[in-house]
Amino acid sequence: MRRILLLVFTIVSSTLFAQENLDLSYYLHQDVQYNSEIPTPKSVIGHEVGEWHITHDKLVQYMYALADATDRITIENRGKTFEDRPLLLLKITSPKNHSSIEAIQKAHVDATKTDNISTDRPIVVYQGFSIHGNEPSGSNAALAVAYYLAAAQGPKINELLDNTVILFDPSFNPDGLQRFAYWANTNRSQNLNPDPNDREYSEIWPGGRTNHYWFDMNRDWLPVQLPESRARIKTFHEWMPNILTDHHEMGTNSSFFFQPGIPSRTHPLTPKLNQALTKQIATYHAKALDKIGSLYYSEESFDDFYYGKGSTFPDINGGIGILFEQASSRGHIQESVNGILTFPFTIRNQFTAALSTLEAANGMRTDILNYQVNFFKNARKEGKKEGKKAIVFGDEKDAARTYHMAEILKRHNIKFHDIDTDFEVDGKRFKKGYGYIVPKNQNNTRLINAMFEKRTTFQDSLFYDISAWSFPLAFNLDYAETSTGNAGAIVTDLEFRNGGANSKSNYAYLTEWNEYYTPKFLYALLRKGIRAKVSQKQFNANGKSYDYGTLMIPVQNQKLSESQLHTFLDKLAQESHLTLDAVSTGLNDGIDLGSNNFRPLEVPKIALLVGDGMTSYDAGEIWHLLDTRYDIPVTKLDTKNFSRANISRYNTIIMVNGSGLDEGNTKKLQSWIRSGGTLIGYRRALNYMNSKKLLKIEFKKPKLVAKNITREQRSDFRGAQVIGGAIFEAEIDRSHPINFGYKNSILPMFRNTTLFVKPNKNSYDNPIQYSKEPLLSGYISKQNLDSISGTVPLKIGNYGRGNIVAFTDNTNFRAFWYGTNKLLMNAIFFREEL
């Protein structure tokens, strides 16, 4: 035992000594000279690379210092994060290339639009670091990589810079990186402690992985909903890089991973040559890591299926995406099964892989340039075969939701047209001003196919991420195959439909609940103290049909005068992109405006449970939805403060996926609901609600028996039962308040849980129910498909004077599931009518 302890002490002591004597030479290649006029990281930021975790402000400081010191680098600020941090991009290449950089860029992009296969031009490599803020070795390595590219001298680096344009993104996630650096640095001891139980290695909730609103930004490359994503996607399409690298971290007891991933888990739309080239690039990584003695692996994990990840998005855009995963020290130094893992060691591996990528790009330049040209050449051939075929999408009652899907297409340089005249396809009506037509015959037809496809058959049954993301389903838009015959002008300036009050009324104003931003409109007028009511039934007024959920704002007995009310509502309707109809009588065909079927509404006062026990992704998506889209304030109520919080301030509490509350806080919550509060819960919150007898839920559990499964196959067998993310068809009762604002009786719903809830015996208590054959797109095992049929994704119950609304799955998934956002808003605004 003494010998073992002595050995451990020796290893720790030698590792600590290496850390204390850390020098930039630990990372750098020693076969080149370095320009002494180029500032080292330490000379600018005040510490050696890896001695402390780099904060984003210091990272920015150093990148600007480099750009000022060398003619190899130019720098630009492409925008800012939610926390106003700059989104930097460095262009690194030879001075000769910089002198004609615009011509190089044009020639490179033009080569993706013509059949010109000239390779007499530089290859373009986009290098991005640490999209997950608490995977910081990437951004810390960016310091050393940028220094190397600026300061290294000699024929080798000159050739590399002549043949390569490097788009250098030192931090994909500035807000998350800053948050994690603060944590790691403030918990760092003078005597570095590798004990994994130390506080340094256990971040407080929500951790530094995500951005400001707690989004995993490495899932947003395709939806492009966040400012950080929009900046990098704009850069991507402006340059069409040949290679894009994405530097990550994984568990402490791992080693180093580089792509390709598991071959059978590559999306079928990705050309096989893409994976072959990725495998050839991998030989450069292996050689470089062998040289420094680092362990690694490839083709045993991860995948290239979901195109919304940084390592996969390039694959459908003519490039090659490469994922790097480094075992994480999660701080400065930590014990692992591979010995003591230091932060500098993790940085050195990332540095090594970054340079081996550039070496591969230089060595394989001609092959990779040819691959990109041929990718688009073949894509255009595929598009040409489509002739005048097109896809039409839209919603004749919701122009804003349609706009936001078109916005995604525009960000990806996909061409689309206005609808010239109203028409019908397959029983679906498409209205001018409320839809768009996407020709299939265009340069990026493969990306169009990837965004619109519905896929239900797969080579593999395991997925690292979601298996379905069909955008018209996610937006709950009507769509169909059509031709360009109904296409109007190509859309160059995408704009919201104009809103406002169509005239002034001395009686009342009406607006249907269909438009996406109607909740924003309703909250603003309720907060102003304006009375509003919601219709429980359909009716006709002034020759127009109004659906369930129509809002009515009476003119009389308001706090504003008739003129003031009109001015206020008109402005609010414009800002919310909806039309207000002025009516002069309450006499209707159907219910009249004075009917008790118009129910009064009160302003929502919302608390969102966050903190330990709650899933930050789900919480962040709701926070983002309410705060940035609907301008509805929400109190983020930390579970640790729940016991002393005055929750009578709120009429709605949202509990996202998580373990729920302890016994004492549960009693407090029960009392609040009995007094009239509404609890809205998601995912595992249903288990909590059921166990605490807040809501009776009967779960349907599939029987799973492994037959002819070996021990080696056990993990895959169990993994195949996971619903990583698929889309299912639900039938809805549109007369139920939870479904107000939906014009169709079918609703596509995302789910990634195996919570199968049995329906109630009374059909009217099942306002949303999965159809008998519900799978629309994505993977689900046969056992789970049998189990989900006929179940319900929603349970609603009364508890005293209050209500409980329980969703089996996240209706606000990753900010791009616009189609089911309305379910949460209905639960909030119409809570007393559920």
Side-chain angles (χ1 to χ4, degrees), residues 796-833:
I796 300 174
N798 303 117
Y799 192 86
R801 289 173 35 227
N803 298 307
I804 298 175
V805 183
F807 293 98
T808 62
D809 288 87
N810 184 358
T811 59
N812 313 290
F813 185 67
R814 292 182 182 167
F816 79 98
W817 266 86
Y818 280 74
T820 49
N821 288 156
K822 198 179 296 289
L823 294 176
L824 172 61
M825 306 318 297
N826 290 350
I828 291 172
F829 281 103
F830 311 139
R831 63 186 191 86
E832 292 190 345
E833 311 305 326

Coordinates of all heavy atoms in Angstrom, one line a residue, residues 796-833:
I796 N -54.5 16.7 -18.3 CA -55.0 17.9 -17.6 C -55.9 17.5 -16.5 O -56.8 16.6 -16.7 CB -55.8 18.9 -18.6 CG1 -54.9 19.3 -19.7 CG2 -56.3 20.1 -17.8 CD1 -55.6 20.1 -20.8
G797 N -55.7 18.0 -15.3 CA -56.5 17.7 -14.2 C -56.7 18.9 -13.2 O -56.0 19.8 -13.3
N798 N -57.8 18.7 -12.4 CA -58.0 19.8 -11.4 C -57.5 19.3 -10.1 O -57.4 18.1 -9.8 CB -59.6 20.0 -11.3 CG -60.2 20.4 -12.6 OD1 -61.0 19.6 -13.1 ND2 -59.8 21.5 -13.1
Y799 N -57.0 20.3 -9.3 CA -56.5 20.0 -7.9 C -57.0 21.2 -7.1 O -56.5 22.3 -7.1 CB -55.0 19.9 -8.0 CG -54.4 19.4 -6.7 CD1 -54.3 18.0 -6.5 CD2 -54.0 20.2 -5.7 CE1 -53.7 17.5 -5.4 CE2 -53.4 19.7 -4.5 CZ -53.3 18.3 -4.4 OH -52.8 17.8 -3.2
G800 N -58.1 20.9 -6.3 CA -58.7 22.0 -5.6 C -59.3 23.0 -6.5 O -60.0 22.6 -7.5
R801 N -59.0 24.3 -6.4 CA -59.4 25.3 -7.3 C -58.4 25.5 -8.5 O -58.7 26.4 -9.3 CB -59.6 26.6 -6.5 CG -60.8 26.6 -5.6 CD -60.9 27.8 -4.7 NE -60.5 29.0 -5.4 CZ -59.6 29.9 -4.8 NH1 -59.2 29.7 -3.6 NH2 -59.3 31.0 -5.5
G802 N -57.3 24.8 -8.4 CA -56.3 25.0 -9.5 C -56.3 23.9 -10.5 O -57.1 23.0 -10.5
N803 N -55.4 24.0 -11.4 CA -55.2 23.1 -12.5 C -53.8 22.6 -12.7 O -52.9 23.3 -12.3 CB -55.7 23.7 -13.9 CG -57.1 24.2 -13.9 OD1 -58.0 23.4 -13.6 ND2 -57.3 25.4 -14.2
I804 N -53.7 21.4 -13.3 CA -52.4 20.9 -13.6 C -52.4 20.5 -15.0 O -53.3 19.8 -15.5 CB -52.0 19.7 -12.7 CG1 -52.0 20.1 -11.2 CG2 -50.7 19.0 -13.1 CD1 -51.8 19.0 -10.2
V805 N -51.4 20.9 -15.8 CA -51.2 20.6 -17.2 C -49.9 19.8 -17.3 O -48.8 20.4 -16.9 CB -51.2 21.8 -18.1 CG1 -51.1 21.5 -19.5 CG2 -52.5 22.7 -17.8
A806 N -49.9 18.6 -17.9 CA -48.7 17.8 -17.9 C -48.4 17.3 -19.3 O -49.3 16.7 -20.0 CB -48.9 16.6 -17.0
F807 N -47.3 17.7 -19.9 CA -46.9 17.3 -21.2 C -45.8 16.2 -21.1 O -44.8 16.4 -20.4 CB -46.3 18.5 -22.0 CG -47.3 19.6 -22.3 CD1 -47.3 20.7 -21.5 CD2 -48.1 19.5 -23.4 CE1 -48.2 21.7 -21.8 CE2 -49.0 20.5 -23.7 CZ -49.1 21.6 -22.9
T808 N -45.9 15.1 -21.9 CA -44.9 14.1 -21.8 C -43.6 14.5 -22.5 O -42.6 14.0 -22.1 CB -45.4 12.8 -22.6 OG1 -45.6 13.2 -24.0 CG2 -46.7 12.3 -22.0
D809 N -43.7 15.5 -23.4 CA -42.5 16.0 -24.1 C -42.4 17.5 -24.2 O -43.4 18.2 -24.0 CB -42.4 15.3 -25.5 CG -42.2 13.8 -25.4 OD1 -43.1 13.0 -25.2 OD2 -41.0 13.4 -25.5
N810 N -41.3 17.9 -24.6 CA -41.0 19.4 -24.7 C -41.6 20.0 -25.9 O -41.3 19.6 -27.1 CB -39.4 19.5 -24.8 CG -39.0 21.0 -24.8 OD1 -39.8 21.9 -24.7 ND2 -37.7 21.2 -24.8
T811 N -42.5 20.9 -25.7 CA -43.2 21.5 -26.9 C -42.5 22.7 -27.4 O -43.0 23.4 -28.3 CB -44.7 21.9 -26.4 OG1 -44.6 22.9 -25.3 CG2 -45.5 20.7 -26.0
N812 N -41.3 23.0 -26.8 CA -40.6 24.2 -27.2 C -39.2 23.8 -27.6 O -38.2 24.6 -27.5 CB -40.5 25.2 -26.0 CG -41.9 25.4 -25.4 OD1 -42.7 26.0 -26.0 ND2 -42.1 24.9 -24.2
F813 N -39.0 22.6 -28.2 CA -37.7 22.0 -28.4 C -36.8 22.9 -29.2 O -37.1 23.3 -30.4 CB -37.9 20.7 -29.1 CG -36.7 19.9 -29.3 CD1 -36.0 19.3 -28.2 CD2 -36.2 19.6 -30.5 CE1 -34.9 18.6 -28.4 CE2 -35.1 18.8 -30.7 CZ -34.4 18.3 -29.6
R814 N -35.6 23.2 -28.7 CA -34.5 23.9 -29.3 C -34.9 25.2 -30.1 O -34.3 25.6 -31.0 CB -33.8 23.0 -30.3 CG -33.1 21.9 -29.5 CD -32.3 20.9 -30.4 NE -31.7 19.9 -29.6 CZ -31.1 18.8 -30.1 NH1 -31.1 18.6 -31.4 NH2 -30.5 17.9 -29.3
A815 N -36.0 25.8 -29.7 CA -36.5 27.1 -30.2 C -37.0 27.0 -31.7 O -37.4 28.0 -32.2 CB -35.3 28.1 -30.1
F816 N -36.8 25.9 -32.4 CA -37.3 25.9 -33.7 C -38.6 25.1 -33.9 O -39.2 25.0 -35.0 CB -36.3 25.4 -34.7 CG -36.1 23.9 -34.8 CD1 -36.7 23.1 -35.7 CD2 -35.2 23.2 -33.8 CE1 -36.5 21.7 -35.8 CE2 -35.0 21.9 -33.9 CZ -35.6 21.1 -34.9
W817 N -39.2 24.5 -32.7 CA -40.5 23.9 -32.8 C -41.6 24.9 -32.6 O -42.3 24.9 -31.7 CB -40.6 22.7 -31.8 CG -40.2 21.5 -32.5 CD1 -38.9 21.0 -32.6 CD2 -41.0 20.6 -33.2 NE1 -38.9 19.8 -33.4 CE2 -40.2 19.5 -33.7 CE3 -42.4 20.5 -33.4 CZ2 -40.8 18.5 -34.5 CZ3 -42.9 19.5 -34.1 CH2 -42.1 18.5 -34.6
Y818 N -41.7 25.8 -33.6 CA -42.7 26.9 -33.6 C -44.1 26.3 -33.5 O -45.0 26.9 -33.0 CB -42.5 27.8 -34.8 CG -41.4 28.8 -34.7 CD1 -40.1 28.5 -34.9 CD2 -41.7 30.2 -34.5 CE1 -39.1 29.4 -34.8 CE2 -40.8 31.1 -34.5 CZ -39.4 30.8 -34.6 OH -38.4 31.7 -34.6
G819 N -44.3 25.1 -34.1 CA -45.6 24.6 -34.3 C -46.3 24.2 -33.0 O -47.5 24.1 -33.0
T820 N -45.6 24.0 -32.0 CA -46.2 23.6 -30.7 C -46.0 24.6 -29.6 O -46.4 24.3 -28.4 CB -45.8 22.2 -30.3 OG1 -44.4 22.1 -30.3 CG2 -46.4 21.1 -31.2
N821 N -45.4 25.7 -29.9 CA -45.2 26.8 -28.9 C -46.6 27.2 -28.3 O -46.7 27.5 -27.1 CB -44.5 28.0 -29.4 CG -43.1 27.8 -29.7 OD1 -42.5 28.5 -30.5 ND2 -42.4 26.9 -29.0
K822 N -47.6 27.2 -29.2 CA -48.9 27.7 -28.8 C -49.5 26.9 -27.7 O -50.4 27.4 -26.9 CB -49.8 27.7 -30.0 CG -51.1 28.6 -29.9 CD -51.9 28.6 -31.1 CE -51.2 29.1 -32.3 NZ -51.1 30.6 -32.2
L823 N -49.1 25.6 -27.5 CA -49.7 24.7 -26.5 C -49.4 25.3 -25.1 O -50.2 25.3 -24.2 CB -49.2 23.3 -26.6 CG -49.7 22.5 -27.9 CD1 -49.0 21.2 -27.9 CD2 -51.2 22.4 -27.9
L824 N -48.1 25.7 -24.9 CA -47.7 26.3 -23.7 C -48.5 27.6 -23.4 O -48.9 27.9 -22.3 CB -46.2 26.6 -23.6 CG -45.7 27.4 -22.4 CD1 -46.0 26.6 -21.1 CD2 -44.2 27.6 -22.5
M825 N -48.6 28.5 -24.5 CA -49.2 29.7 -24.3 C -50.7 29.6 -24.0 O -51.3 30.3 -23.2 CB -49.0 30.6 -25.6 CG -47.6 30.8 -26.0 SD -46.4 31.1 -24.7 CE -47.0 32.6 -24.1
N826 N -51.3 28.6 -24.6 CA -52.7 28.3 -24.2 C -52.9 27.9 -22.8 O -53.8 28.3 -22.1 CB -53.3 27.2 -25.2 CG -53.4 27.7 -26.6 OD1 -53.3 28.9 -26.9 ND2 -53.7 26.8 -27.5
A827 N -51.9 27.0 -22.3 CA -52.0 26.6 -20.9 C -51.8 27.8 -20.0 O -52.4 27.8 -18.9 CB -50.9 25.5 -20.7
I828 N -51.1 28.8 -20.4 CA -50.8 29.9 -19.6 C -52.0 30.9 -19.6 O -52.5 31.3 -18.6 CB -49.5 30.7 -20.0 CG1 -48.3 29.8 -19.7 CG2 -49.4 32.0 -19.4 CD1 -47.0 30.4 -20.3
F829 N -52.5 31.3 -20.8 CA -53.5 32.3 -20.9 C -54.9 31.8 -20.6 O -55.7 32.6 -20.1 CB -53.4 33.0 -22.3 CG -52.4 34.0 -22.5 CD1 -51.2 33.7 -23.2 CD2 -52.5 35.2 -22.0 CE1 -50.2 34.6 -23.3 CE2 -51.5 36.2 -22.1 CZ -50.3 35.9 -22.8
F830 N -55.2 30.6 -21.0 CA -56.5 30.0 -20.8 C -56.6 29.0 -19.7 O -57.4 28.1 -19.7 CB -57.0 29.4 -22.1 CG -56.8 30.3 -23.3 CD1 -56.3 29.8 -24.5 CD2 -57.0 31.6 -23.3 CE1 -56.1 30.6 -25.7 CE2 -56.8 32.5 -24.4 CZ -56.4 31.9 -25.6
R831 N -55.8 29.2 -18.7 CA -55.6 28.2 -17.7 C -56.9 27.9 -16.9 O -57.1 26.8 -16.5 CB -54.5 28.6 -16.7 CG -54.8 29.9 -16.0 CD -53.6 30.4 -15.1 NE -54.0 31.5 -14.3 CZ -54.6 31.3 -13.0 NH1 -54.7 30.1 -12.6 NH2 -54.9 32.3 -12.3
E832 N -57.7 28.9 -16.7 CA -58.9 28.8 -16.0 C -60.0 28.1 -16.8 O -61.1 27.7 -16.2 CB -59.4 30.1 -15.4 CG -58.5 30.7 -14.4 CD -59.1 31.9 -13.7 OE1 -60.1 32.5 -14.2 OE2 -58.6 32.3 -12.6
E833 N -59.8 27.9 -18.1 CA -60.9 27.3 -18.9 C -60.5 25.8 -19.3 O -61.3 25.2 -19.9 CB -61.0 28.1 -20.2 CG -61.2 29.6 -20.0 CD -62.4 29.9 -19.1 OE1 -63.4 29.2 -19.1 OE2 -62.3 30.9 -18.3

